[in-house]
Amino acid sequence: MSTAEPFRIEVPPEALDDLRERLARTRWPGEIPGVGWSYGVQQDYLAELVEYWRADYDWRRHEARLNSFPQFTTVIDDQRVHFLHVRSPEPDAIPLIITHGWPSTVHDFVDVIGPLTDPRAHGGDPADAFHVVAPSLPGFAFSGPTTRPGWGVNRIARAWAELMHRLGYERYGAQGGDFGSIVSPELGRVAPGNVLGVHVNALVNASVASDPADLARLSAAERERAVRNQELWYEHSGYAVQMSTRPQTLAYALNDSPTGQLAWNLESFVDWDPARTEQTPIDRDAILTDVTIFWLTGTAGSAARLYLESADGWGRRPERTAVPTGVANFAGDGAIRGLAELSHEITRWTSFRTGGHFASLQAPDLLVDDIRAFFRTVR
């Protein structure tokens, strides 16, 4: 199948009724008084969010907003791929494929698509316009579930190259955060003649040295930060270890309990105590929309498989790419330029004291500005 079929999200009311009923029947485990978030997601915080999800959260409003963007599905390498495709009104716009991470969906991009595709209508320069393609990662949401093994980073990048080819885009940019910050540079490796530049935020594979010898290449300040990043990763990596080794075992719990699925995803969105984190808080409706999409599509377990499928790349420095690369490093991100330059042709590096790991949700204006500034250098 090389054609794209129009797609529209239409969740039956019975599915929403079932979700609310399950939330109402949550069986709470209790917790040790006074420990806060040190043992994981705090129960009082989660209970308040679950009650809001059950009683007040309006799925139909967010469903309608997603449906305001043109959506399609196609089959690539025997896998259904869902994507938004929003063309710019500007004749000289360049194509840009943007990739989300985990535990995100394309909903994370609803506040950046307008400014990227139509800067004239958002106070920007029309010369900065993009045609935006935003696919759902295989196994995630409306691109899921996966039905065969092997959907790791390289295979996804090759699928993205095929998608852009089918859409008639032979020269394009790539952008991504979190897992998207791994997929987008990989797209530059598999299709270097097509990718004119890569912009990333939340560059997750440039925060810890994959080879101890790489530490010697860093400045003293960068070495200190790399060691601290390693310590932080050890403290917070339990979710990744589980998903990269036994995602199927986890899938039963995630697919059966919406509260459990919310808790599992929430830890990445909130991390530790929201009163102490330096990152900009994420709107609770944005968190719940991502979680609701996973729940309604039954793909929380399928999405978790991405970690196992990509596990062969953990702890290994990516092959260097010559494609020009811009990095936006927001508050809470741990990317180190000295490490990033071992794998990427860094032509722009911007550090921000605000925002956070999910920049399209936490600092959309800053992210859009940085994407525009980078691609001006490669247009």
Side-chain angles (χ1 to χ4, degrees):
M1 177 181 176
S2 60
T3 59
E5 301 293 332
F7 179 82
R8 183 176 176 83
I9 306 169
E10 294 179 322
V11 174
E14 296 81 8
L16 300 177
D17 291 341
D18 176 70
L19 170 59
R20 285 188 286 266
E21 290 168 4
R22 287 172 179 265
L23 292 171
R25 295 198 307 269
T26 298
R27 191 171 68 161
W28 297 101
E31 62 181 354
I32 299 173
V35 299
W37 287 67
S38 62
Y39 280 60
V41 174
Q42 188 178 43
Q43 182 168 304
D44 287 347
Y45 184 96
L46 182 62
E48 182 180 346
L49 190 56
V50 164
E51 179 57 20
Y52 172 76
W53 192 11
R54 185 196 68 80
D56 299 310
Y57 169 77
D58 184 359
W59 161 256
R60 294 301 184 194
R61 179 166 67 89
H62 300 287
E63 180 185 65
R65 190 174 186 195
L66 276 168
N67 282 333
S68 71
F69 300 105
Q71 299 176 72
F72 303 87
T73 61
T74 190
V75 175
I76 301 175
D77 197 5
D78 295 324
Q79 175 64 39
R80 182 171 89 152
V81 174
H82 162 265
F83 61 98
L84 310 183
H85 184 197
V86 187
R87 290 186 58 84
S88 172
E90 303 297 338
D92 295 326
I94 64 172
L96 179 69
I97 182 167
I98 58 178
T99 306
H100 64 84
W102 183 91
S104 296
T105 70
V106 293
H107 178 266
D108 285 19
F109 299 133
V110 296
D111 288 331
V112 302
I113 290 176
L116 289 173
T117 57
D118 194 2
R120 188 191 302 268
H122 292 82
D125 185 343
D128 289 326
F130 300 91
H131 301 304
V132 170
V133 179
S136 298
L137 286 166
F140 286 62
F142 309 106
S143 285
T146 46
T147 58
R148 296 181 181 179
W151 276 101
V153 170
N154 180 265
R155 190 174 182 181
I156 294 170
R158 287 186 279 114
W160 279 191
E162 173 62 19
L163 175 61
M164 296 302 275
H165 173 71
R166 291 184 187 182
L167 294 175
Y169 297 138
E170 295 305 320
R171 286 288 284 167
Y172 49 86
Q175 201 285 327
D178 189 76
F179 247 104
S181 78
I182 305 175
V183 172
S184 297
E186 187 68 10
L187 179 55
R189 294 183 183 95
V190 302
N194 303 101
V195 178
L196 56 90
V198 173
H199 181 279
V200 295
N201 61 285
L203 183 56
V204 293
N205 62 358
S207 60
V208 174
S210 55
D211 183 337
D214 291 342
L215 289 174
R217 305 169 184 260
L218 305 180
S219 68
E222 287 179 327
R223 283 196 298 273
E224 182 179 348
R225 187 173 185 186
V227 171
R228 178 57 181 152
N229 285 345
Q230 182 71 61
E231 294 170 350
L232 287 171
W233 177 242
Y234 177 79
E235 294 171 7
H236 295 88
S237 62
Y239 77 99
V241 172
Q242 177 67 34
M243 293 195 295
S244 62
T245 55
R246 292 294 185 268
Q248 186 62 30
T249 304
L250 175 66
Y252 301 110
L254 298 183
N255 203 57
D256 192 57
S257 169
T259 296
Q261 183 186 297
L262 173 58
W264 187 258
N265 290 17
L266 183 66
E267 192 164 77
S268 290
F269 283 124
V270 176
D271 203 354
W272 49 88
D273 185 347
R276 292 191 292 113
T277 183
E278 62 183 339
Q279 300 184 46
T280 304
I282 300 175
D283 179 75
R284 61 182 178 177
D285 268 38
I287 296 172
L288 290 175
T289 299
D290 278 340
V291 175
T292 302
I293 290 171
F294 278 127
W295 176 261
L296 294 172
T297 57
T299 55
S302 177
R305 290 200 285 265
L306 177 59
Y307 278 73
L308 185 146
E309 302 291 5
S310 306
D312 62 346
W314 300 141
R316 179 165 50 86
R317 185 200 310 156
E319 176 187 345
R320 198 173 196 282
T321 172
V323 175
T325 302
V327 178
N329 215 28
F330 288 88
D333 287 333
I336 296 170
R337 183 163 186 165
L339 292 176
E341 288 178 336
L342 299 176
S343 300
H344 308 274
E345 182 64 29
I346 305 296
T347 59
R348 177 182 171 86
W349 184 282
T350 314
S351 295
F352 298 93
R353 295 182 179 274
T354 58
H357 186 78
F358 300 91
S360 61
L361 298 176
Q362 295 167 290
D365 293 343
L366 293 176
L367 179 62
V368 167
D369 286 347
D370 205 69
I371 293 171
R372 290 171 175 169
F374 167 73
F375 279 102
R376 285 183 202 128
T377 68
V378 297
R379 280 179 180 266

